[in-house]
Amino acid sequence: MPVVVMASGTGSLMAAVLDLAAADDSPFRVVGVVVDRDCAAADRAVEADLPVVLSELRDYPDRAAWDAALTAAVVELAPEWVVTAGFMKILGPAFLERFGGHIVNSHPALLPAFPGAHGVADALAYGVKITGTTVHLVDSGVDTGPILAQRIVEVLPDDSEETLHERIKEVERVLLPEVVHAVVTRGVVTDGRKAHIK
Ligand code: GRF
């Protein structure tokens, strides 16, 4: 089962998905990595001998043109599933039209709490005692798609955003590959805004 992974940062979460895909008995293989900027994730993908697509919004006249070009580039890779592992752009309507229902994202908070690009800092600032990570299907909203799995992470009194985010990432690096494995092998049923892995 071909999978494309999209990333924007260090690529540690992407690497966890690549590692599972590389296992001899893996039910899926990563056929390409898409990045929206020059980042360590791209370097890791090159080291793994994977095709890397760099699709920068600033290279296009507007978001619609970027959305269309990104969609065409991922269609070329012909994935069954797309995994956003720290991809920091909102996917556009053309991309969602083509891959909607088959895009899995990992968010470092217990949605619907603390969506968006600062979920860890927002949870810390709010003073919650537990937070965690959410794996969900991507829809047209910001971290609003049907939830597939969640895992909690305790907030420690002396946590900084960095220490808390790293502990959350440790959990993400286990949960996201597990969920990808499950959805590619068992599939997903959705009922309105709810989703369940078969
Ligand atoms: C992860 O916490 C992910 O949930 C968030 O960005 C982070 C990516 O981490 N969207 P890394 O760049 O793979 O280390």
Side-chain angles (χ1 to χ4, degrees):
M1 178 83 72
V3 169
V4 160
V5 182
M6 305 175 79
S8 303
T10 73
S12 74
L13 186 50
M14 175 199 74
V17 178
L18 299 191
D19 289 349
L20 183 60
D24 290 343
D25 59 348
S26 175
F28 70 95
R29 69 191 193 291
V30 175
V31 294
V33 167
V34 176
V35 295
D36 66 325
R37 66 198 73 178
D38 189 19
C39 55
D43 300 337
R44 283 179 143 164
V46 168
E47 283 162 23
D49 291 327
L50 289 172
V52 177
V53 172
L54 171 60
S55 181
E56 294 197 69
L57 177 57
R58 66 182 181 193
D59 293 340
Y60 296 89
D62 54 37
R63 284 193 79 92
W66 173 74
D67 181 20
L70 178 68
T71 304
V74 177
V75 164
E76 282 273 304
L77 294 168
E80 286 287 317
W81 286 88
V82 175
V83 178
T84 50
F87 188 69
M88 300 308 280
K89 284 279 186 314
I90 300 300
L91 295 169
F95 197 93
L96 293 171
E97 173 67 30
R98 179 63 184 74
F99 294 106
H102 283 79
I103 309 167
V104 174
N105 181 52
S106 181
H107 180 72
L110 293 177
L111 296 172
F114 312 120
H118 309 289
V120 178
D122 293 344
L124 199 58
Y126 193 94
V128 295
K129 301 306 178 188
I130 61 161
T131 184
T133 180
T134 301
V135 180
H136 63 97
L137 294 176
V138 173
D139 66 7
S140 58
V142 177
D143 301 321
T144 54
I147 291 172
L148 295 170
Q150 293 185 300
R151 229 162 251 167
I152 66 168
V153 174
E154 189 183 359
V155 181
L156 302 177
D158 59 350
D159 260 328
S160 65
E161 181 185 352
E162 291 69 28
T163 59
L164 177 56
H165 198 172
E166 190 45 45
R167 272 205 324 285
I168 293 172
K169 284 187 188 184
E170 284 169 12
V171 176
E172 288 186 280
R173 290 194 282 262
V174 173
L175 185 60
L176 181 58
E178 280 179 7
V179 172
V180 173
H181 185 285
V183 300
V184 303
T185 51
R186 303 191 333 242
V188 172
V189 287
T190 54
D191 170 15
R193 66 146 297 102
K194 293 184 183 169
H196 301 283
I197 298 171
K198 289 175 189 168

